[in-house]
Amino acid sequence: MSSSTNEGDLVFDCFMGCGTTPAAASMLNRRFIGADINFGAIQTSTKRLSGLGSSFECYNVNNYEIFRNPVEAKELIIHALEVQQLEFSSIYDGEKDGFKVKILPVNRIATKEDLNELLANFPYKKFEERKAQNPNKPVEEIMLVCMGHEPGLAAVLENESGYKLKVEVVDILRDKSDLTFKYDSEAVIDIRDGKLIVKTFYPRNLLQKLSQQKEDVTEWREMVESIMIDWNYDGAVMEPVVIDIPEKDQFVQGVYDIPQGASNIKIKITDLLSESYEEVISHG
């Protein structure tokens, strides 16, 4: 690196692994950008650079977080694209705008081999009936959802099925790059010694906007706009008795005395994006 760059130059390693290149750049007074799709590599590199006292920031790009959990990813995609789930379908993941939706693997680019499941399980008997009734119309309209894909996916599906299909490919990285995935917030709430205690709160959408992880949170109350508590929630309408809205530059309390007679406790925590976490806790 010393022979090919000068102090102050910018070094980019797009597959940084354990962070050797960024670490060397830091020690040699070079600026650096490191990238990796492997979360373990990000953790290892971050720890290594922190140990060197390097000044750096971590960012998630292209909804990287979604690649880490394919099961959660499918649920997030269904919600983000407003796909209506089909209760009894074993072939498709849902329906949208008249299209049957199939979500292809999201932890890598979609390939032609990923179409084999569809091709093997198509309702060919229904296809034949639809073809007989309307020979010039597609027997099915299909939307393939992916995060990157090989070219020609639609053509392969149309050709290998043997039937006239209308296929649309929705590539989230290309076509829906501005799509916002909504994550549920998380909280840890404890009841001890007659008190309701909010131990931690993770507003995941807010953390995503701040490019932070849960591990970065040192004071969860900084991200809270208000806390409301109904000590006897009737299951229908929340009637908060506690309304904890802090003054400017102050935090919510986070610890609340539980009154006598409290039974069905509902707590609502609202973050700085005005998104809320709600939980109902049985007591007594």
Side-chain angles (χ1 to χ4, degrees):
M1 188 178 295
S2 297
S3 61
S4 58
T5 63
N6 299 312
E7 287 195 17
D9 282 353
L10 179 62
V11 177
F12 176 45
D13 184 357
C14 55
F15 305 102
M16 67 178 176
C18 61
T20 299
T21 298
S26 177
M27 289 187 291
L28 294 172
N29 297 318
R30 273 72 169 164
R31 297 173 299 144
F32 60 86
I33 298 175
D36 206 294
I37 197 171
N38 185 290
F39 184 60
I42 301 296
Q43 289 181 314
T44 300
S45 299
T46 299
K47 185 176 181 180
R48 183 174 186 175
L49 291 167
S50 296
L52 293 173
S54 302
S55 177
F56 65 94
E57 294 183 10
C58 289
Y59 295 93
N60 289 335
V61 296
N62 285 335
N63 296 295
Y64 164 76
E65 186 79 12
I66 204 170
F67 287 91
R68 293 169 52 189
N69 187 333
V71 175
E72 183 185 45
K74 181 176 285 190
E75 295 175 357
L76 291 170
I77 289 171
I78 287 172
H79 181 71
L81 293 179
E82 298 181 339
V83 173
Q84 181 181 351
Q85 292 183 270
L86 299 174
E87 187 174 352
F88 301 108
S89 176
S90 59
I91 305 171
Y92 305 110
D93 296 299
E95 189 170 21
K96 178 179 174 64
D97 300 332
F99 285 82
K100 297 296 192 298
V101 177
K102 179 65 177 178
I103 300 174
L104 301 178
V106 296
N107 55 350
R108 55 176 172 78
I109 66 169
T111 68
K112 299 176 180 67
E113 286 70 27
D114 292 319
L115 303 176
N116 291 338
E117 181 184 352
L118 270 177
L119 291 166
N121 293 290
F122 271 149
Y124 288 106
K125 186 174 181 180
K126 288 185 178 179
F127 285 2
E128 194 63 34
E129 293 173 358
R130 292 169 187 168
K131 179 180 178 181
Q133 293 172 359
N134 296 286
N136 297 320
K137 291 185 63 176
V139 297
E140 194 85 284
E141 296 184 354
I142 300 171
M143 180 184 295
L144 303 175
V145 179
C146 59
M147 282 190 165
H149 67 284
E150 290 182 345
L153 283 189
V156 169
L157 194 59
E158 292 170 359
N159 293 335
E160 295 194 10
S161 70
Y163 289 86
K164 185 175 183 179
L165 303 172
K166 181 178 179 181
V167 182
E168 179 178 322
V169 178
V170 175
D171 188 328
I172 291 175
L173 298 185
R174 181 194 65 195
D175 307 322
K176 301 286 184 178
S177 58
D178 60 344
L179 193 66
T180 300
F181 292 98
K182 295 293 184 181
Y183 295 87
D184 291 333
S185 296
E186 300 175 18
V188 177
I189 300 171
D190 192 17
I191 291 180
R192 187 172 65 251
D193 300 329
K195 298 180 184 295
L196 185 147
I197 304 166
V198 182
K199 300 177 72 175
T200 54
F201 173 60
Y202 304 116
R204 296 181 63 192
N205 292 321
L206 177 57
L207 290 173
Q208 184 185 39
K209 284 184 176 294
L210 297 174
S211 298
Q212 291 183 311
Q213 304 295 322
K214 293 195 312 186
E215 295 78 9
D216 301 326
V217 177
T218 56
E219 177 52 84
W220 60 267
R221 296 183 301 166
E222 291 180 339
M223 298 178 288
V224 175
E225 181 180 273
S226 66
I227 291 181
M228 299 185 182
I229 304 173
D230 182 346
W231 298 115
N232 292 285
Y233 177 57
D234 64 5
V237 179
M238 183 176 183
E239 298 180 356
V241 176
V242 173
I243 302 177
D244 186 0
I245 302 176
E247 298 292 332
K248 186 177 180 181
D249 300 326
Q250 295 184 357
F251 298 150
V252 292
Q253 297 175 40
V255 178
Y256 308 92
D257 292 323
I258 300 175
Q260 291 290 330
S263 57
N264 203 42
I265 302 171
K266 180 171 182 178
I267 181 170
K268 179 178 180 180
I269 307 174
T270 303
D271 65 27
L272 299 179
L273 291 178
S274 296
E275 296 179 353
S276 298
Y277 168 89
E278 299 181 10
E279 184 175 342
V280 178
I281 306 167
S282 296
H283 177 65

